[in-house]
Amino acid sequence: MRRGDSPGVRVTKAYPWVLAVLCATGVAYAQPETDDKDAEPAKEPKEKGNGTLHVNVNEAAPASDATDDAMGTISGVVESPELDAPLAQATVTISGKKTQTVTTDDSGKFEVQVDPGDVKIKVDFPGFKSEEKAFNITAGTIAELTFSLTTEQELAETIVVVGSRTPRTNVDSPVPVDVVTSEEIAHSGRTETGRILHTLAASFISTPQTIADGSDHVDPAALRGLGPDQVLVLVNGKRRHKSALLHLNGTFGRGTVGTDLNAIATGSIKRIEILRDGAASQYGSDAIAGVINIVTKDVTDLLDISSETGITASRDGAQLKSSANYGYKIGEKGFLNLTGEFLQRQATDRSGRYTGTIYTDDKAADNDLIAMNGISRDDVSMKIGESSVTSGIGSYNMEVPVGDVAKFYSFGDIGYRRGAANGFYRFPKQLSQNVPQFYPNGFLPTIHPTMEDAAITVGIRRKGTTSVDASITHGRSSFLFNIENSVNASLGTNSPTTFDAGTVRSEETVADLDLQRKIDTKAVEALSLVFGTEMRVENYQIIAGDEASYAQGMSTYVDPATGTQNLSAPGAQVFPGFQPSNAVDRTRDNVGVYGGIESEVTKKISVDVGGRFENYSDFGQSLIGKVAARAQIAGPLSIRGGASTGFRAPSLQQLWFSNVSTQFVDQGMGLVATQVLTSNNKSPVTKAFGIPDLKEERSINASGGFTLKSGTNLSFSADGYFVRLKDRIVLTSQFNALQNQIVSDILSPFTGVTSAQFFANAVDTDTKGIDLVGDYSTALGDGQLAVTTSINFTKTDVIDVHIPKSLRDRFGVTGAEDCIKRTPDQLCTFFFGRLAQNRLEDSVPHQKATIAGRYAISGLAALVRANYYGKVFYKPDDPTNDEEFGAKVLFDVDLGYQFNKNLLVSIGADNLFNTFPDRQVKAANISDGRFIYSRNVSQFGQNGGFYYAKLELTFF
C-alpha cells in the first residue's frame, strides 16, 4: 500500500516541498527559463492516455567522454503543461535487460545509460497520471524524451476520495487516504476484489461465509469494524450501486446490505483508494466509516493478458482465472479501455465427520439401520466451506475530448455469476422435512443462485476557473435463488426437487452536478468554493418464486414422541420461496445539496469546511457538516484532523424485505430447524409487536493524527478515530413463540412459523481505534526494496440498547428502557440478545496488520507478506458455550520472473503454512462433529493455504 508515491523510488535529492505544494494545489508556478535552449525540439509526438511522450533519437550523436559506445543514452525532461513547470523528483523507471530507477532534478531533467535493445520507460509523480512507453534503442545513440504529465483524470479521482474538490495530492490530505496500486493487486494472489483488499488493507475486512444462504455468495465487507452498509463504494468517483442481497443469517453484517466488490473485475483496476474517515457531507448516506474508490484503467496501446490457476493445500477449491485488458486511442487525446474476465472457483469442504444419529434418536437402533442400508456417516456429511462460482465480467472506460477544455467520459461493467452452496443435511429422522420415497437416506439441499450486476456512467467534465462535472450513473443488481436437490415435504410425492425460489432485485440511478470555483485573493494562498447537487432514485423488488417453492400442502407425518399426526414443513427445504405476500416493488428518491470552502491558508496550512442537506421521499430530511485541517509543523512532519456529523438512511431492503426462512437455531437441544418470519417495517405484524417506523442512523466522527514524509522513499502516518452511531439499524434477535404466549398469539396465522424478527433502530455504538500506515523504498545492491506496513486497532462497544416504549407496552414490561443498564430479561434477549451484541463487538478481529517486503532485481521480483489477525470471540445467548479463537499470523509469498518484455511468470502462496483458525471445543457449537471451525465469527475464512501459478503476457 502506498500513500502518494509508488514503491521502488530511488532518492537522489531532497524533496522540494514548495514545488510539491504548488503542483498538488494546481497553483501556477513560473519556473525560470533553463539554459537548455539549444536542445533540438522533439519530433513525432506519441501519446498515451492524456499525457504526451515526445521522442527524438539522434543517430550517431557525438557522445561525451562519459558515454560508452556500447551503450545507448536516454535523456529527458518531465513537465506539467497545466502548471507550466517542470516536475522535480519525478520517478523514472527504465526496464530493459536490467531495471534502473532515477529521479528528475530541480529542472525536471534526467539522463541514464542503458543496454541496447527494447526498453520500457515509466514516469510517476504523485497526483499526476503515470506515463509508460516502450521503444528500441541502439548502441551509440541518444534518445531525447519529453514527458508531459497531466492531472486531469488521475488527480480528479484522487480528489474524490479525499473528499476535496480542489487539486490536492493525497499526501496533502487533511484526512487519511490509502492507495492500493495495480502492482500490489497483481502480486496479492487473490482472485476477487474484496479478498484482495482484505489482504492488503488492515482497516478492511471481507471473509467468505458458509451455510449462510445468499451470504455464501456475497461477502459481507467492512471498514474500521463498522457495518457493510456504513462504507460507501465509488467507481471513478461515482457512487456504486448496492447489492440486492440482504445478509439475513447469523454472520457478521447480519441485517445489512453492502456493495458486492467481487462483481468488479480485478483486471480493470488501476488502483484502489481508501478514505478512512466519515465523508457523508461529501457523498451523502452510507459514508459513515469511509469511502472506497476504485479507479479503472485508462492505458492505451497495451494488451495485458493474464491467467492464474491454483488449489488449496486440502486439494479442493481449485481456481482458474483469466483476464484480458486492452486500450485504444480515440483521436489524439481520447481513449477506450476494455477488460474481460473469467473466474471459475470450486467449492471447499471443511466439515467434520458427523457423529449423530441418522434414522432414529436411539443410537443402537440407528447403528443397526445404518448397517442394514449399507451406508456410513460419511455419506450424510455436510459440505461446510466456501461456495463454488463461475463468473464472467466485462467492463470499459472511455474518455473523448469535446472542444479544448471539456471531455466526455463513460465507464461501466456487466457481470454474470452462477454459484453453488450447501445447507444443512436433512436426515431421514427429520420426518417433517423429508419425503422418504425420494430420499430414503436423507438429502443435502443446495442453493444455486444466479447473480447479475451491471452499471453505466456517462458524463462531461470541463476544467477552468469554474470547473464543472455533470454525470448520470445507473446500476442494478439481481439475485435469483435456484434450489436444487430439495423437496417441499408438505407436497409429498407431488413435490418437485428443484425450485425457482424467487428473485431480489435493486436498481439505483444517480444524477450528479459538481461545481468548483477558484477565487483569486491575496488573503490566502488558494481558495475555492465548491457546490454540488445529487438526485438519486432507488428501486427494490422481491419477485415471488414458483408456487411449489412456498406452498403449504396437506402431506402429514406422525411424531414418534407423541403419536400425533402433523402437517409436514411447507416450502422448499434450505430456502422456502418468496410468497406473493412478500412481493414488493418500491421506489424512493432523494435530493442532496452540498457546499463548502476549501482553502490553503498558507503553504503549510489548509482548511476545509463543508455541509450537506438531504431530503428523502420516504423518511425526511438531514443536515450534516464537516471541518478538516492540515498543518505542516516541521519540515516533513504534518498534523491533521477532522470532525463531522453523518447519517445513513435505512435501505429499501431494511424497510421492505419479508420472507419465511428455515434457520437452524440452538434452542437448548442442539441446532433445530426453525421457520423464522422476517416481517417488513410497515407490516401489521411488525406493528402488532410494537416496532416503530425506521429512521436514519446518525453519527459523530472525529479523527486526528500526523504524517511524516521524508523525500520520496519514506512515508508514515498515524491516525486515531472515534465514531459514535446513534439509532443504529439492526435486525433484531428472534421473538420465540414457544417461549412467550404473546408472540405465539401474534404468529398463530403463520403455519409452522415459531419465531419472528424485525428491523429496528435498536442500539447506539461507539467505535474507536488507531490506523498506522508506513511505506519505505530504497536501492539495495543492484535492485530495489519496497516495504509497506498497515496496522489497525479497532473496538466497537454497544453503549445503549433502547427498547421502544411501544414494544415494552405490548409485552407489559416496565422499568429502564436500556438493556445495558439493567439486568436483561426475556424481552431484551428477544429484541437484541447477547449473540446480536457479539456480532457488532467481537465477531471480527480488534487488531489486524500486514507487513510486506518486495525486492526486484533485473527480471526477478520476490515478495514476502505477513498478515496478523487478532482474536475473535463467540458469545451466544447461552454463556456456557462462549469460545475464544486466538490470534494468527499468515504468510504469503510471490516469486516472479520477467523472461522478456512480454512474458512474466509467477508462483506463490496465500497462507503458505496452511494456517487455520482455532478449532471449536464446545460440543454445542461443534454440533455432532460437523462444525470444526466457527461459522459465526471469522478472522480469515477456513480454506487454509492456497498455492498458485500465474502467467502474464504484455504486448505494446
Side-chain angles (χ1 to χ4, degrees):
M1 183 175 297
R2 67 181 174 92
R3 300 182 56 78
D5 294 302
S6 298
V9 178
R10 187 174 183 177
V11 179
T12 57
K13 303 180 73 172
Y15 192 90
W17 286 96
V18 174
L19 179 60
V21 172
L22 290 170
C23 292
T25 57
V27 179
Y29 174 64
Q31 176 76 2
E33 292 186 354
T34 67
D35 294 329
D36 191 24
K37 296 181 180 180
D38 296 328
E40 186 172 334
K43 300 176 182 178
E44 299 179 0
K46 299 182 180 180
E47 295 184 8
K48 180 178 176 64
N50 293 318
T52 304
L53 168 64
H54 301 281
V55 180
N56 180 40
V57 178
N58 297 321
E59 298 290 347
S64 65
D65 294 340
T67 303
D68 189 339
D69 290 338
M71 304 285 283
T73 301
I74 298 175
S75 175
V77 63
V78 180
E79 62 185 15
S80 167
E82 292 174 293
L83 305 179
D84 191 24
L87 298 179
Q89 295 298 309
T91 303
V92 183
T93 304
I94 303 97
S95 302
K97 293 182 179 179
K98 63 179 181 179
T99 300
Q100 303 179 68
T101 303
V102 298
T103 52
T104 57
D105 61 18
D106 289 342
S107 298
K109 297 179 180 179
F110 69 92
E111 183 172 302
V112 64
Q113 290 186 338
V114 298
D115 291 316
D118 292 329
V119 296
K120 181 170 64 175
I121 302 176
K122 182 180 180 182
V123 178
D124 295 287
F125 190 83
F128 288 75
K129 293 188 66 174
S130 299
E131 289 297 321
E132 187 173 311
K133 198 70 175 179
F135 66 97
N136 184 275
I137 190 167
T138 58
T141 63
I142 300 176
E144 297 179 353
L145 297 82
T146 300
F147 285 89
S148 298
L149 306 191
T150 67
T151 63
E152 292 179 343
Q153 181 164 327
E154 175 98 359
L155 187 54
E157 291 156 349
T158 301
I159 289 167
V160 167
V161 167
V162 298
S164 170
R165 309 292 174 177
T166 55
R168 180 179 293 150
T169 61
N170 43 335
V171 73
D172 295 322
S173 170
V175 289
V177 181
D178 298 331
V179 179
V180 177
T181 67
S182 58
E183 183 180 40
E184 291 173 298
I185 293 171
H187 295 288
S188 70
R190 305 289 182 174
T191 55
E192 295 174 283
T193 303
R195 310 287 175 84
I196 290 170
L197 276 179
H198 176 80
T199 299
L200 300 179
S203 58
F204 181 86
I205 191 161
S206 176
T207 59
Q209 306 299 316
T210 185
I211 317 296
D213 291 346
S215 298
D216 284 2
H217 309 275
V218 179
D219 299 341
L223 191 64
R224 285 183 161 180
L226 291 171
D229 53 2
Q230 288 150 352
V231 57
L232 176 64
V233 176
L234 310 174
V235 175
N236 295 328
K238 306 300 179 181
R239 178 182 284 263
R240 177 78 176 184
H241 62 276
K242 297 285 188 179
S243 169
L245 181 76
L246 174 71
H247 297 296
L248 198 61
N249 274 13
T251 67
F252 170 73
R254 177 177 180 266
T256 66
V257 177
T259 301
D260 188 358
L261 289 170
N262 295 336
I264 300 173
T266 61
S268 69
I269 299 175
K270 180 178 181 179
R271 69 177 186 271
I272 303 174
E273 304 166 337
I274 306 172
L275 166 63
R276 296 179 277 107
D277 195 55
S281 62
Q282 285 84 28
Y283 308 108
S285 180
D286 308 336
I288 288 175
V291 178
I292 296 173
N293 185 38
I294 296 175
V295 181
T296 59
K297 291 180 178 178
D298 55 4
V299 297
T300 61
D301 299 328
L302 179 69
L303 174 62
D304 188 358
I305 302 173
S306 65
S307 183
E308 178 179 339
T309 185
I311 195 168
T312 70
S314 302
R315 299 183 182 179
D316 60 6
Q319 297 189 39
L320 173 64
K321 177 185 173 183
S322 298
S323 179
N325 176 267
Y326 184 71
Y328 301 86
K329 293 179 182 176
I330 301 178
E332 292 296 317
K333 295 184 178 180
F335 67 86
L336 172 64
N337 186 276
L338 302 173
T339 302
E341 191 162 285
F342 171 81
L343 171 65
Q344 187 167 42
R345 183 188 70 221
Q346 296 180 353
T348 61
D349 183 6
R350 299 295 174 265
S351 53
R353 188 173 190 271
Y354 180 62
T355 61
T357 58
I358 298 174
Y359 298 96
T360 174
D361 288 332
D362 185 314
K363 193 65 173 284
D366 192 64
N367 288 335
D368 292 340
L369 289 170
I370 290 172
M372 182 186 306
N373 287 292
I375 68 169
S376 73
R377 285 183 171 82
D378 291 332
D379 296 320
V380 297
S381 171
M382 291 178 63
K383 305 295 182 184
I384 300 168
E386 186 174 10
S387 64
S388 66
V389 70
T390 300
S391 169
I393 306 173
S395 64
Y396 77 97
N397 187 18
M398 179 178 70
E399 188 174 281
V400 180
V402 180
D404 296 330
V405 295
K407 291 185 178 180
F408 169 82
Y409 61 88
S410 180
F411 53 87
D413 58 71
I414 185 168
Y416 176 90
R417 290 181 292 166
R418 174 81 171 172
N422 303 287
F424 277 83
Y425 197 95
R426 267 58 170 181
F427 299 107
K429 67 178 183 179
Q430 295 170 309
L431 301 176
S432 68
Q433 301 168 57
N434 190 22
V435 177
Q437 294 90 332
F438 289 171
Y439 304 110
N441 297 318
F443 61 99
L444 183 65
T446 59
I447 300 177
H448 292 252
T450 298
M451 297 157 282
E452 297 180 0
D453 272 90
I456 184 171
T457 295
V458 295
I460 192 163
R461 182 184 301 117
R462 179 189 181 277
K463 298 194 68 176
T465 303
T466 300
S467 295
V468 181
D469 186 345
S471 67
I472 296 178
T473 299
H474 178 77
R476 69 173 186 265
S477 168
S478 69
F479 194 107
L480 167 62
F481 289 88
N482 298 294
I483 310 303
E484 300 186 11
N485 197 49
S486 183
V487 71
N488 181 337
S490 72
L491 298 178
T493 55
N494 292 321
S495 172
T497 57
T498 63
F499 305 87
D500 172 354
T503 301
V504 289
R505 181 179 297 159
S506 64
E507 296 190 36
E508 185 175 307
T509 302
V510 183
D512 283 306
L513 176 63
D514 299 317
L515 305 173
Q516 175 206 328
R517 175 73 178 182
K518 297 179 181 178
I519 307 298
D520 292 329
T521 175
K522 295 182 180 180
V524 296
E525 287 290 323
L527 179 66
S528 290
L529 298 180
V530 294
F531 174 81
T533 183
E534 176 183 278
M535 180 175 181
R536 187 162 77 251
V537 179
E538 301 171 80
N539 176 261
Y540 176 63
Q541 299 177 44
I542 298 177
I543 301 170
D546 296 338
E547 184 177 359
S549 71
Y550 59 81
Q552 171 68 68
M554 300 306 295
S555 181
T556 62
Y557 71 98
V558 176
D559 187 336
T562 63
T564 59
Q565 193 170 24
N566 303 309
L567 286 172
S568 296
Q573 287 297 306
V574 79
F575 190 89
F578 292 109
Q579 304 177 27
S581 60
N582 302 137
V584 296
D585 185 352
R586 294 288 176 171
T587 299
R588 75 174 176 195
D589 61 75
N590 80 291
V591 177
V593 179
Y594 76 87
I597 299 174
E598 299 178 358
S599 65
E600 190 178 347
V601 181
T602 69
K603 292 180 178 180
K604 295 184 178 182
I605 300 175
S606 60
V607 178
D608 297 347
V609 179
R612 187 181 189 96
F613 172 80
E614 295 252 1
N615 183 43
Y616 277 77
S617 62
D618 59 349
F619 80 84
Q621 302 171 343
S622 179
L623 180 63
I624 54 177
K626 180 174 183 176
V627 60
R630 173 186 176 273
Q632 182 182 344
I633 58 175
L637 180 64
S638 299
I639 58 173
R640 62 187 179 188
S644 65
T645 56
F647 80 102
R648 189 189 71 82
S651 67
L652 286 177
Q653 288 91 328
Q654 291 173 326
L655 287 166
W656 293 107
F657 181 88
S658 66
N659 81 336
V660 175
S661 62
T662 303
Q663 298 182 26
F664 280 74
V665 180
D666 188 353
Q667 296 182 349
M669 303 172 292
L671 296 176
V672 177
T674 304
Q675 298 292 95
V676 180
L677 169 68
T678 303
S679 181
N680 76 48
N681 191 240
K682 302 295 185 180
S683 165
V685 176
T686 303
K687 301 312 173 188
F689 273 85
I691 304 293
D693 290 347
L694 289 178
K695 58 184 178 180
E696 76 276 18
E697 302 173 344
R698 291 198 168 268
S699 69
I700 299 173
N701 294 62
S703 66
F706 70 89
T707 64
L708 176 66
K709 184 172 178 63
S710 176
T712 54
N713 70 329
L714 173 64
S715 66
F716 177 80
S717 68
D719 295 278
Y721 57 91
F722 172 82
V723 182
R724 170 159 291 176
L725 263 168
K726 300 283 290 183
D727 298 319
R728 188 166 177 174
I729 300 171
V730 300
L731 183 59
T732 68
S733 300
Q734 293 175 2
F735 291 74
N736 193 320
L738 302 179
Q739 300 175 5
N740 187 282
Q741 188 59 46
I742 296 174
V743 178
S744 178
D745 292 342
I746 297 175
L747 296 182
S748 60
F750 299 89
T751 304
V753 171
T754 58
S755 295
Q757 56 192 12
F758 315 92
F759 286 95
N761 296 95
V763 299
D764 298 340
T765 63
D766 281 352
T767 300
K768 48 187 175 292
I770 298 174
D771 285 314
L772 306 174
V773 179
D775 295 312
Y776 177 72
S777 58
T778 186
L780 183 62
D782 293 329
Q784 293 293 132
L785 174 67
V787 179
T788 62
T789 185
S790 175
I791 304 171
N792 172 258
F793 302 90
T794 193
K795 182 69 169 68
T796 294
D797 294 303
V798 175
I799 61 172
D800 190 2
V801 179
H802 35 79
I803 299 179
K805 183 178 184 302
S806 54
L807 179 61
R808 287 184 286 133
D809 290 344
R810 182 69 180 86
F811 281 79
V813 174
T814 59
E817 172 188 352
D818 183 13
C819 293
I820 299 293
K821 298 173 183 176
R822 64 184 172 94
T823 303
D825 54 20
Q826 185 185 68
L827 184 58
C828 287
T829 302
F830 283 172
F831 185 68
F832 193 79
R834 193 168 180 267
L835 177 57
Q837 184 171 339
N838 175 229
R839 291 192 186 102
L840 294 184
E841 293 185 340
D842 296 310
S843 62
V844 296
H846 295 167
Q847 305 89 29
K848 186 169 174 273
T850 178
I851 181 169
R854 186 168 186 267
Y855 184 71
I857 182 170
S858 297
L860 183 67
L863 177 141
V864 178
R865 179 171 50 239
N867 302 299
Y868 174 84
Y869 299 92
K871 296 178 181 179
V872 291
F873 304 86
Y874 175 55
K875 299 177 181 179
D877 291 330
D878 182 358
T880 61
N881 292 322
D882 283 4
E883 295 212 50
E884 176 183 315
F885 306 99
K888 301 291 180 182
V889 179
L890 278 58
F891 291 92
D892 304 335
V893 295
D894 184 272
L895 181 66
Y897 186 74
Q898 187 85 42
F899 284 91
N900 53 50
K901 68 177 183 179
N902 302 117
L903 176 62
L904 172 65
V905 176
S906 304
I907 59 173
D910 289 332
N911 192 354
L912 175 65
F913 300 113
N914 195 32
T915 301
F916 285 90
D918 288 346
R919 294 189 172 211
Q920 299 194 115
V921 297
K922 298 294 181 69
N925 300 334
I926 298 172
S927 183
D928 293 321
R930 293 177 289 187
F931 289 94
I932 299 175
Y933 308 105
S934 176
R935 71 184 180 112
N936 297 287
V937 298
S938 179
Q939 296 155 294
F940 48 84
Q942 49 187 258
N943 282 343
F946 179 76
Y947 309 101
Y948 63 89
K950 185 176 181 180
L951 175 71
E952 184 172 5
L953 296 171
T954 306
F955 301 98
F956 300 94

